[in-house]
Amino acid sequence: MQDIIAKWKYRGDYELGTVFEESYTTYFQKAFASIKNAVIIPIPLSMERLQERCFNQAEMLASFLSLKKMNILSRTHGEKQSKKSRNERIYSENPFILQEKLNNPVILVDDIYTTGTTLRHAAKLLKDAGCPEVYSYTLIRG
């Protein structure tokens, strides 16, 4: 799995991501069938990281799902999460900016869950702005 992710995410093989579509959508439907009026929010990349990778893997995963998607988070540029130690990740500052408030349940979509800090930062911002429920759905637990 590490080799596939490295090729897909870091070496820009966009089409390789389609191998995840069937199982990703199947498990999503099982896990989130009971949640009503939810909105999908993919975890954003900074503009610099997006230019480097040429696509956002979380947006690709979100595109597989049938619920409404919103890109209401932006991200400041910083050091790659994969280059940080566990403690550096856990105690990092929140890199997200909320561009629009939302009163629906939210399902945050990301590719890899390592320490959960990225998702906790995004969830905190949404909850503090009045979002009633925040869930997460990731492809891999690292």
Side-chain angles (χ1 to χ4, degrees):
M1 186 59 103
Q2 283 180 325
D3 291 339
I4 292 170
I5 294 297
K7 191 172 185 182
W8 174 54
K9 183 174 178 175
Y10 302 115
R11 292 188 211 119
D13 190 346
Y14 181 84
E15 288 302 314
L16 188 57
T18 61
V19 303
F20 305 119
E21 184 172 5
E22 186 178 338
S23 60
Y24 195 73
T25 57
T26 299
Y27 285 105
F28 179 85
Q29 290 164 356
K30 289 178 187 176
F32 296 103
S34 65
I35 300 170
K36 304 298 178 215
N37 301 317
V39 175
I40 302 287
I41 299 179
I43 293 294
L45 297 175
S46 67
M47 292 307 291
E48 293 87 349
R49 195 75 65 229
L50 184 58
Q51 287 177 340
E52 179 183 307
R53 293 189 185 155
C54 299
F55 73 99
N56 179 342
Q57 61 284 350
E59 283 188 18
M60 181 183 200
L61 293 170
S63 76
F64 298 154
L65 307 173
S66 59
L67 296 178
K68 179 181 178 180
K69 288 136 199 87
M70 294 182 74
N71 291 310
I72 61 171
L73 292 175
S74 60
R75 183 183 202 139
T76 58
H77 186 64
E79 184 180 8
K80 291 179 181 180
Q81 291 292 90
S82 61
K83 302 292 181 193
K84 293 179 182 178
S85 71
R86 179 175 177 77
N87 275 345
E88 288 172 325
R89 289 179 193 203
I90 291 171
Y91 297 108
S92 62
E93 288 189 32
N94 194 330
F96 298 110
I97 300 161
L98 184 61
Q99 299 168 340
E100 181 182 330
K101 288 187 178 185
L102 187 65
N103 291 320
N104 296 65
V106 165
I107 303 169
L108 294 168
V109 170
D110 204 4
D111 59 343
I112 301 172
Y113 180 106
T114 305
T115 62
T117 302
T118 297
L119 294 166
R120 277 194 296 277
H121 281 317
K124 181 172 180 2
L125 203 57
L126 289 159
K127 293 287 280 182
D128 288 352
C131 188
E133 298 172 300
V134 180
Y135 304 88
S136 66
Y137 187 57
T138 58
L139 178 64
I140 298 166
R141 171 111 190 203

